[in-house]
Amino acid sequence: MADALVLSIDGMGGDNAPDIVVEGVEIAARKSPDVSFIIHGDAERINHLLELAPHARAVSRVAPAERAIGMDVKPSQAVRQGRGSSLWNAVASVEEGEARAVVSAGNTGAFMAISMFRLRMMEGVHRPALTCTLPSMRGKVALLDVGANVEADAEQLVEFAIMGEAFHRALHGTARPKVGLLNVGSEDMKGHEEIRAAARLMRAARIDLDFHGFIEGDDIGKGVVDVVVTDGFTGNIALKTLEGTARLVGQFLRDALTADPLARLGALFAYPALRKLRARMDPSTSNGAVFLGLNGVVVKSHGGATGSGYAAAIDVARRIAASSYREEIARNIDRLARADAAAAAAGVGEAN
Amino acid sequence: MADALVLSIDGMGGDNAPDIVVEGVEIAARKSPDVSFIIHGDAERINHLLELAPHARAVSRVAPAERAIGMDVKPSQAVRQGRGSSLWNAVASVEEGEARAVVSAGNTGAFMAISMFRLRMMEGVHRPALTCTLPSMRGKVALLDVGANVEADAEQLVEFAIMGEAFHRALHGTARPKVGLLNVGSEDMKGHEEIRAAARLMRAARIDLDFHGFIEGDDIGKGVVDVVVTDGFTGNIALKTLEGTARLVGQFLRDALTADPLARLGALFAYPALRKLRARMDPSTSNGAVFLGLNGVVVKSHGGATGSGYAAAIDVARRIAASSYREEIARNIDRLARADAAAAAAGVGEAN
């Protein structure tokens, strides 16, 4: 590889930074030795941790940053006062072309605000979208937006569809990910106007993707589509409801398997299988939410991720940075813009 | 009891009607012998089934209805052409004062439309809300609206809160159910304008209920509040996402417990405990969605409910019909109306 892939890491973001961060880089470096890292943060502590992380040490450069952004810092404060922090510098590495992607487990709002401020939106994209990966009966499902914006109009929903489709292909190698719009029914007349207009616009603009139409909430787990598109309000509530339900069922299962001696004995025999189940449900195996639509790959790890969870987020950054997702998005965004222009020229609404 | 409680039953609604319906009435009649029933539908078939259901037979009257409304009939069609069907007549029994509540496992849209058309909205209530009951770590949670309306303004959200609170008390006997508004964060400035205005209005109008403020999607499963209020679009997606996730985790658990001989052996020992878990997660134990806000209690059973599931829906109808939920709702709706009037008189917006 002529041009090695460089990832920028916020060494100080997350509940157990920088320890977990370096542990994550070590695991990632062992798996993908062709990637190198710039780790931003407390150089003394990070260098000390790298002494025990030989794979990471071999491919990392430590970039000193004198401070970290706390979890209670508001997005607007972070943009005004964040300069010089590990998070700010990690994003700046992408802006300056030193790195192709940035990973942080720190303050989500601050990370999104600084990324938007420094990296700016991709041409033709109106709003970025936070995208997460979920398990389903048929494979991994991308859900977006899960909270970057509270509302989305029809055109923004189509942009999310375009970005989510390229994201799924970049991450999982799916040739033609199937895209669905989250709604309260699958019939054409269901839902509110924005969502119906988005479906019409998607077809009218001849966006080059496999558009399935509307799906319902239970279709996420069924894996009816690969990419689920919705506004940030609905997406955030769907995501958190899903996480809460998985935790509730897990708790009920623990209650059941510790209720009496026979159940405890059964759980003992089934222990290896139950551990695998736990890994399958573990959010860290799907760690790495991506902030799509900016000039650069921005990946958010769970704040409480383990080392292997953090490595999963790094892997997301690596796959997307190494893909041609930007060109794919640009092509479809261009189709959308031309459809808008044609509709405007014809003097009709964009959605008709 | 001087005035026995009478429930009206759509004998022909649901996947396995009238068999499952009569089975449900039999179970309910055994449990609550003071309730009597009017079962609407094919008299010959229902009477035949009642021969084998002695408890039901003792407290039921069969009201012949020559036809049933199919599952593919649109709500508007049902209102125009539904007259004389078992569903229509079952609702009419409540309208005419013969029964205090109606239960159907039939076409949801048709049931809601006919109920709204025949029973009309309670005074002061602008839109009805479909309300379901969910399990949580701390007890049962009421979620509304789960799909009667696609949108809801601030005042309607407050009405849903008022109705949901009275519903939870009627169903579970909770003295002061805690009420939360579903949002994307718990801070006051989060979410869109309608939801923030609803929170302000709830406080300004001095609605007599325990208002917790905003909650997030994962708080549903935690049982942070007893009543979760949202618009019908978000509520429907949250409910279906939750159902889909529970099914997905159940599938993953089955996969894990059948993966190898040791796991299968463990599952055998844990079988009674796992069966209890299944019952705890089974939607039929929480069967009975209530269409709140009308002049009469309207309860929808799952179309595929078993006999005991149907009996659970009947039990919901019985508890609510026997409660003082209407008076409680009327009192708080009156507070809301007076707050509106005062705000209008003062020349300020309702939400300030």
Side-chain angles (χ1 to χ4, degrees), chain A residues 74 135-137 150-151 182-185 189-193 195 216-222 230-234 236-253 255-257 259-260 262-263 265-270 272-274 276-277 280-281, chain B residues 74 135-137 150-151 182-185 189-193 195 216-222 230-234 236-253 255-257 259-260 262-263 265-270 272-274 276-277 280-281:
Chain A
K74 297 232 159 63
S136 85
M137 297 209 189
V150 168
E151 282 166 332
L182 192 56
N183 201 346
V184 294
M189 77 287 182
K190 289 273 180 160
H192 46 58
E193 181 47 31
I195 228 169
E216 298 189 63
D218 52 341
D219 294 329
I220 303 173
K222 285 182 200 161
T230 186
D231 64 88
F233 184 84
T234 312
N236 183 279
I237 285 172
L239 172 63
K240 289 195 172 156
T241 300
L242 186 153
E243 289 173 344
T245 306
R247 265 200 295 274
L248 180 68
V249 178
Q251 181 61 49
F252 282 4
L253 178 60
D255 291 353
L257 292 179
D260 58 78
L262 213 58
L265 181 64
L268 205 65
F269 281 115
L274 291 170
K276 259 183 245 163
L277 169 68
R280 201 169 173 193
M281 294 305 304
Chain B
K74 297 234 159 62
S136 85
M137 297 209 190
V150 169
E151 282 166 334
L182 192 57
N183 200 348
V184 294
M189 76 288 184
K190 289 274 180 156
H192 47 57
E193 181 46 30
I195 228 169
E216 297 189 63
D218 52 342
D219 294 329
I220 303 173
K222 285 182 198 159
T230 188
D231 64 88
F233 184 83
T234 313
N236 183 281
I237 285 172
L239 171 63
K240 290 196 171 155
T241 300
L242 186 154
E243 289 173 344
T245 306
R247 264 200 295 273
L248 180 68
V249 179
Q251 181 60 51
F252 282 5
L253 177 60
D255 291 352
L257 293 179
D260 58 76
L262 212 57
L265 182 64
L268 205 63
F269 281 115
L274 291 170
K276 260 184 246 164
L277 169 69
R280 200 170 173 191
M281 294 305 304

Side-chain angles (χ1 to χ4, degrees), chain B residues 200-213:
Chain B
R200 289 195 301 268
L201 180 57
M202 191 94 82
R203 290 178 174 122
R206 300 174 195 277
I207 304 297
D208 181 26
L209 55 76
D210 185 2
F211 178 51
H212 172 86

